[in-house]
């Protein structure tokens, strides 16, 4: 591994050679030609700063407005088209290629577990249609610079799927760090937030299951303690100035 792990790199620049590394986001692996000794090397796919955690090497993009998909990310996107067995989803103006949400990656009405049929394909617009906002999780990301497509799936009927009766706010993706819980209940369990790693934030009135979780989940309460205190402080100031 080279001793230049703190400088900036550009797309196509070689970061490391050999087998003493694990590929992180912002990089891809290519095979060296036999005349160059064979083996593999790690190459940057974006312009940014190199970050290494043990053997895991990543490149953090310089531009904070570009979303780079990572497996396990929670995202909010807008349906742009309905195709044969999948939906195409826009994750942001600067996200690059459209993500895809396959029919096999969503839950059928009623939570039915079965193989998808031709009838399901014909009725896809009953689930999501063009213009709908959906909450999903990144299931897979392309492994190299020529295939940076993102595949999504929905994990449950309660939290994931179509978003309605709320407000969408768009911020730079860098302002939404990866965390254990991206579903936040605040303002005395009256407001529910969905924090998308792609910079899309959904705000709506807390539903009954959100209120119950906000009251009964100690870990969630601890994670949102500062947010709740801020909201209560703002309410107090508002009452004093009425």
């Amino acid at each position: 591994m080279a001793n230049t792990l703190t400088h900036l790199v550009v797309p196509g620049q070689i970061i490391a050679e050999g087998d003493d590394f694990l590929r992180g986001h912002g990089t891809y692996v290519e095979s060296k030609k036999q005349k160059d000794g064979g083996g593999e090397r790690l190459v940057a796919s974006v312009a940014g700063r190199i970050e290494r955690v043990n053997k895991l090497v990543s490149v953090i993009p310089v531009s904070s407005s570009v979303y780079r998909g990572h497996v396990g990310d929670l995202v909010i996107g807008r349906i742009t088209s309905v195709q044969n067995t999948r939906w195409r989803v826009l994750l942001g103006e600067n996200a690059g290629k459209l993500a895809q949400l396959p029919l096999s990656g969503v839950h059928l009405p009623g939570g039915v577990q079965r193989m998808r049929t031709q009838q399901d394909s014909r009725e896809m617009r009953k689930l999501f249609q063009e213009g709908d906002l959906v909450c999903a999780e990144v299931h897979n990301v392309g492994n190299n610079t020529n295939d940076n497509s993102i595949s999504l799936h929905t994990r449950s009927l309660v939290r994931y799927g179509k978003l309605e009766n709320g407000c969408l706010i768009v911020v730079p993706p860098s302002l939404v760090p990866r965390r254990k819980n991206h579903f936040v209940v605040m303002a005395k369990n009256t407001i529910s937030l969905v924090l998308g790693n792609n910079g899309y934030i959904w705000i709506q009135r807390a539903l009954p299951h959100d209120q119950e979780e906000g009251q009964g989940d100690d870990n969630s309460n601890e994670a949102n303690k500062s947010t709740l205190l801020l909201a209560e402080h703002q309410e107090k100031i508002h009452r004093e100035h009425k």
Side-chain angles (χ1 to χ4, degrees):
M1 178 70 65
N3 295 323
T4 55
L5 292 177
T6 57
H7 65 246
L8 296 175
V9 293
V10 297
Q13 184 171 341
I14 298 174
I15 301 173
E17 297 183 353
D19 56 2
D20 189 29
F21 60 82
L22 295 174
R23 186 187 72 85
H25 55 274
T27 67
Y28 64 95
V29 175
E30 67 177 17
S31 299
K32 298 196 301 183
K33 297 180 180 180
Q34 289 297 327
K35 65 178 182 180
D36 295 329
E40 296 181 333
R41 57 190 175 192
L42 188 67
V43 183
S45 61
V46 298
R49 173 178 54 83
I50 298 177
E51 181 180 82
R52 180 176 182 178
V53 179
N54 296 326
K55 288 188 175 184
L56 180 66
V57 181
S58 306
V59 176
I60 309 302
V62 174
S63 174
S64 61
S65 63
V66 178
Y67 170 67
R68 303 293 178 182
H70 188 68
V71 175
D73 280 356
L74 183 140
V75 295
I76 296 172
R78 189 177 297 277
I79 302 294
T80 61
S81 64
V82 182
Q83 300 181 353
N84 186 22
T85 58
R86 64 181 180 176
W87 295 268
R88 301 305 298 268
V89 185
L90 178 66
L91 298 181
E93 296 300 328
N94 298 317
K97 293 183 178 179
L98 294 174
Q100 60 179 358
L101 175 61
L103 178 59
S104 60
V106 304
H107 289 263
L108 297 175
V112 179
Q113 299 291 331
R114 59 173 173 77
M115 294 289 292
R116 288 5 178 207
T117 64
Q118 289 294 328
Q119 182 67 21
D120 294 325
S121 298
R122 289 191 291 268
E123 296 179 351
M124 286 175 60
R125 281 190 172 85
K126 292 184 178 180
L127 297 176
F128 310 122
Q129 57 184 344
E130 292 86 347
D132 285 348
L133 285 172
V134 296
C135 176
E137 183 178 280
V138 175
H139 179 62
N140 187 42
V141 180
N143 292 326
N144 56 62
T145 189
N146 296 320
D147 180 20
N148 58 354
S149 60
I150 296 176
S151 178
L152 309 175
H153 69 159
T154 58
R155 294 180 56 186
S156 69
L157 288 171
V158 177
R159 290 293 195 180
Y160 298 81
K162 187 176 179 179
L163 298 174
E164 298 179 291
N165 303 320
C167 178
L168 178 68
I169 296 177
V170 179
V171 302
S174 60
L175 297 181
V176 185
R178 293 180 174 88
R179 48 181 288 174
K180 183 178 181 180
N181 183 20
H182 283 260
F183 299 97
V184 178
V185 181
M186 57 179 293
K188 296 183 178 179
N189 297 326
T190 60
I191 297 176
S192 176
L193 304 180
V194 183
L195 307 176
N197 285 122
N198 58 325
Y200 281 17
I201 300 176
W202 180 255
I203 304 177
Q204 68 178 33
R205 177 178 58 85
L207 301 176
H209 61 77
D210 295 325
Q211 296 171 351
E212 292 175 3
E213 183 172 291
Q215 294 170 357
D217 190 343
D218 293 337
N219 293 329
S220 178
N221 286 336
E222 183 65 25
N224 302 327
K225 184 176 180 181
S226 60
T227 305
L228 293 171
L229 289 175
L230 176 60
E232 292 173 356
H233 180 63
Q234 291 175 331
E235 289 180 2
K236 181 179 178 181
I237 294 176
H238 180 69
R239 289 195 300 268
E240 290 175 349
H241 288 79
K242 277 187 176 181

